[in-house]
């Protein structure tokens, strides 16, 4: 596969951009080799600057539920740009977008638009702190909620479960209020609450984790989490940046039948443009400036182009709820093909799938939390990734990520992927 132009661009990029990329995972460091630079995308495929074609399973890390450049989003954008790109003043489309989100996600009574998932999650935690007057919050090891300082914390050692920064630049002060529990382990949550009675403002969770690879929460665990938050007056935040509008029309909360107090969104909600959102109970959201004292702002929040793309995406979902049936059919077809290929080579790797997001873990133990996920052989994943890339299949360039199926992956795409999988998993 000729990647001469990509290599040249990557060398050039590294002179001006840290690591040559604008988001770390894109640099292929977790899988080895150099990233290919993408020229354009169309449907289920995208094409690199050397003209190589790939069937794409990252879909821009989740936004492309309908594949690259779906006509109805492109049309909405081209129309919107005629009126201008940004006003910094309220527009009608923001009202329509907010109303549509409250229609699609039952728990959302009010919503604020922002420009990324990170902004959504950091604002949601601030809202919870402002609403409860409490300062600490619980997150789960293995869940990623964006790069706000107080999220870049890992489980510290010792019984107190205080977090420690995972990145230079994050202060101990920030870490002090972040408490780390174990995913799918309600006792670890109860222990932390006992140790920090009446000090915890929020618990934030990916209801289906995608950032340790795909690890679904147990329904019973989420139900108990919901009950504990209600009893202890802790704000339950579902981080649905990845799962929102992905695993169901109403997100993971619809799938599980659980109502969080706040939810965060990103990715699909922007139709491929930079959009995030946080929302939920009116009594909490009314605390947000200017209706309340909790400050939150953004120059380009609710930007007309981003709203046009996002509104087109969510309107399509509202008018075509059968897309989730089609996504399930395509995704289970792919999963079954993978499982047959694994059986042929007698490899019993863990394959977790919820709807159109899935991860193959290179470990034979069950993967139901972070500790079990990290038993995966990441070097083997790297070899597998490269074998698939060579065959024109673009998966997440890191073991602890998700692969995404879109509504426009065809049976031909899926069969080619299964064939490539079968060859790659036997040589990896
Ligand atoms: P952004 O700030 O990247 O828009 O969203 C942060 C975020 C928050 N919550 C969840 C559940 C997320 O998955 C994300 C971002 N996901 C990663 C993929 N693992 C984005 C890819 C990247 O960092 O380049």
């Amino acid at each position: 596969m000729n990647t001469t132009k990509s290599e040249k661009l990557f060398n050039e990029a590294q002179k001006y951009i840290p690591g040559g990329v604008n988001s770390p995972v894109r640099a292929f460091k977790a899988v080895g080799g150099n990233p290919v630079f993408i020229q354009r995308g169309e449907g289920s495929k995208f094409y690199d600057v050397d003209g190589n074609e790939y069937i794409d399973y990252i879909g821009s890390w989740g936004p492309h539920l309908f594949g690259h450049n779906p006509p109805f989003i492109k049309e909405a954008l081209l129309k919107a740009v005629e009126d201008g790109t940004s006003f910094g003043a309220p527009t009608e489309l923001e009202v329509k977008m907010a109303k549509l989100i409250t229609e699609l996600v039952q728990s959302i009574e009010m919503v604020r638009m922002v420009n990324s998932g990170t902004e959504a999650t950091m604002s949601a935690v601030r809202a919870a702190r402002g609403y409860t007057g409490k300062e600490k919050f619980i997150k789960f090891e293995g869940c990623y909620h964006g790069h706000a300082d107080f999220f870049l914390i890992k489980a510290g050692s010792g019984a107190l479960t205080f977090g420690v920064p995972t990145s230079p630049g994050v202060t101990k002060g920030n870490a002090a209020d972040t408490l780390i529990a174990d995913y799918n382990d309600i006792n670890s949550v109860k222990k932390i609450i006992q140790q920090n009675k009446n000090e915890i403002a929020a618990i934030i969770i990916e209801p289906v984790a995608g950032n340790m690879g795909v690890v679904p929460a147990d329904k019973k665990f989420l139900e108990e989490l919901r009950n504990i938050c209600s009893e202890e007056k802790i704000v339950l935040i579902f981080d649905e940046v990845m799962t929102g509008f992905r695993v169901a029309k109403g997100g993971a909360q619809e799938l599980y039948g659980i109502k969080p107090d706040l939810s965060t969104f990103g990715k699909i909600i922007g139709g491929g443009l930079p959009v995030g959102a946080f929302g939920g109970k009116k009594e909490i959201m009314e605390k947000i400036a200017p209706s309340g004292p909790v400050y939150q702002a953004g120059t380009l929040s609710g930007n007309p182009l981003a709203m046009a793309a996002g509104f087109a995406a969510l309107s399509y979902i509202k008018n075509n709820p059968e897309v989730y049936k089609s996504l399930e059919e395509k995704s289970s077809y792919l999963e079954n093909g993978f499982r047959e290929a694994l059986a042929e080579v007698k490899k019993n790797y863990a394959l977790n799938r919820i709807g159109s997001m899935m991860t193959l873990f290179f470990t034979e133990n069950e993967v139901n939390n972070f500790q079990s996920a990290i038993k995966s052989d990441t070097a083997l994943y790297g070899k597998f990734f490269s074998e698939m890339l060579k065959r024109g299949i673009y998966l997440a360039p890191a073991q602890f990520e998700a692969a995404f199926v879109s509504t426009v992956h065809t049976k031909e795409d899926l069969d080619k992927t299964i064939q490539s999988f079968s060859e790659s998993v036997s040589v990896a």
Side-chain angles (χ1 to χ4, degrees):
M1 187 167 77
N2 169 24
T3 56
T4 319
K5 287 184 183 162
S6 280
E7 281 153 36
K8 196 161 165 290
L9 276 171
F10 191 45
N11 289 334
E12 184 79 354
Q14 290 174 87
K15 292 182 207 155
Y16 306 105
I17 308 170
V21 291
N22 283 312
S23 198
V25 71
R26 303 179 192 169
F28 280 22
K29 280 200 174 311
V31 291
N34 291 338
V36 289
F37 280 58
I38 300 303
Q39 176 78 39
R40 68 180 184 89
E42 200 65 43
S44 60
K45 300 183 181 64
F46 58 19
Y47 304 83
D48 70 17
V49 291
D50 291 288
N52 300 304
E53 177 186 280
Y54 304 92
I55 301 173
D56 174 25
Y57 287 99
I58 58 164
S60 181
W61 298 94
H64 294 331
L65 190 70
F66 309 108
H68 290 276
N69 237 357
F72 59 92
I73 293 182
K74 189 165 143 185
E75 202 181 296
L77 272 172
L78 291 173
K79 189 163 169 292
V81 81
E82 292 297 327
D83 292 336
T85 56
S86 181
F87 311 119
T91 60
E92 182 186 2
L93 190 50
E94 290 167 85
V95 184
K96 290 167 79 172
M97 181 71 165
K99 276 174 75 175
L100 181 52
I101 293 168
T102 62
E103 277 173 47
L104 291 172
V105 188
Q106 301 316 314
S107 69
I108 306 294
E109 296 171 349
M110 285 194 115
V111 61
R112 166 63 59 87
M113 306 311 295
V114 294
N115 302 282
S116 70
T118 294
E119 271 192 79
T121 54
M122 74 181 208
S123 305
V125 169
R126 187 183 310 139
R129 285 170 161 162
Y131 172 71
T132 61
K134 298 186 276 184
E135 296 188 353
K136 292 176 180 172
F137 79 98
I138 295 175
K139 74 173 285 290
F140 292 85
E141 193 170 36
C143 285
Y144 174 72
H145 303 292
H147 63 91
D149 281 9
F150 49 70
F151 290 132
L152 297 183
I153 310 290
K154 67 174 185 282
S157 54
L160 287 184
T161 65
F162 283 135
V164 293
T166 56
S167 162
V170 175
T171 64
K172 290 195 192 65
N174 249 307
D177 291 328
T178 304
L179 305 166
I180 310 284
D182 299 327
Y183 200 77
N184 278 327
D185 176 354
I186 200 66
N187 291 326
S188 73
V189 176
K190 288 177 179 171
K191 189 174 115 189
I192 291 174
I193 292 175
Q194 284 320 313
Q195 289 170 340
N196 300 273
K197 204 73 183 147
N198 301 322
E199 293 185 80
I200 297 171
I203 295 180
I204 185 168
I205 187 165
E206 290 181 64
V208 174
N211 289 289
M212 49 178 128
V214 174
V215 178
D218 296 334
K219 185 167 167 60
K220 192 166 174 318
F221 165 70
L222 280 186
E223 285 166 350
E224 290 187 283
L225 201 60
R226 173 64 279 175
N227 294 337
I228 288 176
C229 285
S230 303
E231 285 155 21
E232 299 285 340
K233 300 204 178 349
I234 294 172
V235 174
L236 178 59
I237 304 172
F238 272 15
D239 177 356
E240 298 231 37
V241 167
M242 192 183 288
T243 54
F245 317 107
R246 164 65 58 182
V247 298
K249 179 171 67 69
Q253 55 196 272
E254 178 186 289
L255 221 50
Y256 282 93
I258 292 177
K259 198 174 174 184
D261 301 310
L262 291 180
S263 303
T264 57
F265 301 100
K267 299 180 192 284
I268 292 171
I269 197 174
L273 268 68
V275 177
F278 67 102
K281 279 184 172 167
K282 198 173 177 126
E283 65 189 80
I284 302 175
M285 291 304 289
E286 283 188 327
K287 295 286 184 190
I288 298 291
S291 52
V294 180
Y295 196 68
Q296 189 281 329
T299 304
L300 293 168
S301 297
N303 168 273
L305 300 190
M307 290 299 101
F311 189 73
L314 298 193
S315 301
Y316 191 92
I317 287 170
K318 180 186 173 187
N319 301 328
N320 304 277
E322 72 282 0
V323 292
Y324 293 99
K325 185 168 171 296
S326 156
L327 281 166
E328 180 56 30
E329 284 161 6
K330 292 171 189 281
S331 307
S332 58
Y333 181 83
L334 197 62
E335 176 187 355
N336 294 336
F338 288 175
R339 289 191 185 285
E340 281 165 22
L342 287 169
E344 268 161 40
V345 293
K346 297 185 179 36
K347 296 193 177 164
N348 188 26
Y349 295 139
L351 177 54
N352 288 356
R353 176 177 75 83
I354 296 283
S356 56
M357 52 191 273
M358 70 178 88
T359 300
L360 176 71
F361 294 92
F362 280 73
T363 173
E364 300 216 341
N365 59 266
E366 186 200 1
V367 176
N368 59 7
N369 61 20
F370 182 66
Q371 293 308 324
S372 52
I374 57 173
K375 289 185 179 141
S376 305
D377 182 336
T378 53
L380 204 47
Y381 180 83
K383 283 174 68 181
F384 166 73
F385 171 85
S386 305
E387 289 298 326
M388 291 290 268
L389 193 70
K390 263 181 350 198
R391 292 169 173 79
I393 312 296
Y394 196 109
L395 297 174
Q399 166 70 89
F400 305 116
E401 295 288 355
F404 300 101
V405 181
S406 80
T407 56
V408 292
H409 279 85
T410 63
K411 184 164 183 310
E412 189 193 354
D413 292 335
L414 301 177
D415 287 337
K416 179 180 175 188
T417 306
I418 292 166
Q419 179 55 36
S420 303
F421 180 95
S422 177
E423 294 164 9
S424 303
V425 83
S426 45
V427 301

